[in-house]
Amino acid sequence: MTLLTARDIREIAADIGLRPTKQKGQNFVIDPNTVRSIVTSAKLEGVQNVVEIGPGLGSLTLGLLEAGHHVTAVEIDEVLASRLPSTIAKYTDSSTSAATVSSAEPAADQGANFDLVNADALKITELPREPQALVANLPYNVAVPVLLHFLEIFPSLKSVLVMVQLEVAERLAAGPGSRTYGVPSVKAQWYGDVTLAGRIGKNVFWPAPNIDSGLVHIDVSRTHRDPAQRRRLFSVVDAAFAQRRKTLRAALATWAGSPQHAEELLIAAGIDPKTRGEALGVADFERLAAARLADTSDETPEAGSPS
């Protein structure tokens, strides 16, 4: 199998009349060694069903296929999606076949090791195969929403390796007390352990972005995800960071109903009301969300009692 070089990328782009735009977050990897490094960093054992978001011209897709995985590529751009199957066929051996489907019509198992879904990743709710891993060079303009959407929708995911802007990578992996720690950090870390897995320079892309990129690895350990629990946790996280400079007693006033009630819930969760949101870890936010749930339950009238 042959991976795409800079010359290949430019030839394919010219053939389909592609001019990459910042608006679509299009930056294509042109270095085969970088592609293989990304696949290695994903730490995928055996053969896995991998979902790739934003395959573009196919650089990483070919790298994942080379490693023996089944790839479901989700591409929103119709021009890129229409070209990808022929690129896969050209650069892989004859045993590689492809099935192209839409998000509304999941394909049956055709024995293929490559499926293409031409759809908006943020609107995807099902795929031809349950993904075990997400490996992608995410479009930079929608990286965090897409990542969180797939973690929410697909509990089958056990591992994630995504390339994003370096500052976003650092934010996702940041711990409590860090300057970059915030809403994306807590929400991503609710699903499992988030670590920086590497730094990618600008020169391996075409066109070259203005800043370096970073690899983020997520070992998804929260396999049982209660949607109601997630909504409660994310609600308090959003509130806590909406006004970063305020203490939690003040920042959570609207969420709790009043500053006094916020203080009571914080104390019940074992958190100093004078603390700020960036000092709390996922477990702290979970206790706070649980305190709010218990408080609400206490206020619910018993069956048969007047309401």
Side-chain angles (χ1 to χ4, degrees):
M1 181 179 294
T2 304
L3 301 190
L4 299 180
T5 64
R7 180 177 178 179
D8 296 326
I9 290 289
R10 290 186 172 91
E11 286 181 351
I12 295 172
D15 189 44
I16 61 177
L18 172 69
R19 298 183 65 181
T21 66
K22 290 183 179 180
Q23 183 181 4
K24 294 183 178 180
Q26 293 175 327
N27 300 96
F28 305 108
V29 180
I30 57 176
D31 176 46
N33 289 330
T34 298
V35 170
R36 291 191 173 100
S37 177
I38 293 170
V39 174
T40 299
S41 296
K43 302 177 183 178
L44 302 179
E45 297 182 359
V47 176
Q48 297 201 24
N49 292 333
V50 179
V51 59
E52 180 192 6
I53 301 164
L57 297 176
S59 297
L60 182 55
T61 314
L62 288 169
L64 291 165
L65 290 171
E66 180 185 62
H69 304 294
H70 178 279
V71 180
T72 298
V74 179
E75 177 57 62
I76 189 173
D77 189 295
E78 290 185 6
V79 174
L80 294 176
S82 64
R83 177 56 184 256
L84 192 56
S86 62
T87 300
I88 299 301
K90 178 179 178 180
Y91 289 89
T92 59
D93 58 40
S94 58
S95 65
T96 299
S97 55
T100 303
V101 300
S102 72
S103 59
E105 301 174 345
D109 186 351
Q110 301 181 21
N113 60 354
F114 172 72
D115 292 310
L116 174 62
V117 179
N118 181 199
D120 184 346
L122 284 170
K123 297 179 180 178
I124 291 286
T125 57
E126 56 184 334
L127 291 170
R129 303 177 190 232
E130 280 197 342
Q132 299 165 294
L134 165 60
V135 182
N137 172 17
L138 290 178
Y140 289 169
N141 52 345
V142 292
V144 172
V146 165
L147 171 62
L148 293 177
H149 175 71
F150 269 69
L151 284 168
E152 174 189 342
I153 297 298
F154 296 106
S156 58
L157 286 173
K158 301 298 186 291
S159 178
V160 172
L161 191 284
V162 292
M163 180 159 58
V164 295
Q165 286 181 334
L166 182 59
E167 62 183 63
V168 175
E170 291 172 341
R171 189 175 303 130
L172 287 167
S178 168
R179 179 180 58 83
T180 56
Y181 183 70
V183 171
S185 318
V186 183
K187 291 183 177 180
Q189 291 167 31
W190 182 73
Y191 291 98
D193 295 329
V194 182
T195 55
L196 278 174
R199 181 170 180 158
I200 308 293
K202 304 176 236 183
N203 295 332
V204 300
F205 295 93
W206 175 75
N210 295 326
I211 61 174
D212 287 351
S213 302
L215 296 175
V216 175
H217 185 270
I218 304 178
D219 182 8
V220 184
S221 56
R222 190 180 294 275
T223 54
H224 299 288
R225 307 168 195 165
D226 179 357
Q229 181 188 13
R230 176 185 54 78
R231 287 192 295 269
R232 288 192 296 268
L233 179 76
F234 285 14
S235 174
V236 65
V237 170
D238 288 336
F241 285 96
Q243 303 177 72
R244 290 183 68 105
R245 296 188 179 185
K246 291 191 175 183
T247 65
L248 285 171
R249 183 184 189 277
L252 298 179
T254 300
W255 171 80
S258 70
Q260 180 58 38
H261 195 198
E263 180 171 336
E264 293 169 357
L265 293 174
L266 287 160
I267 292 173
I271 300 169
D272 184 347
K274 296 179 181 178
T275 302
R276 289 179 170 79
E278 55 265 35
L280 303 190
V282 174
D284 299 313
F285 281 111
E286 287 183 312
R287 292 199 312 276
L288 187 51
R292 173 68 182 276
L293 177 62
D295 180 72
T296 303
S297 300
D298 290 342
E299 295 175 358
T300 303
E302 296 182 4
S305 65
S307 57

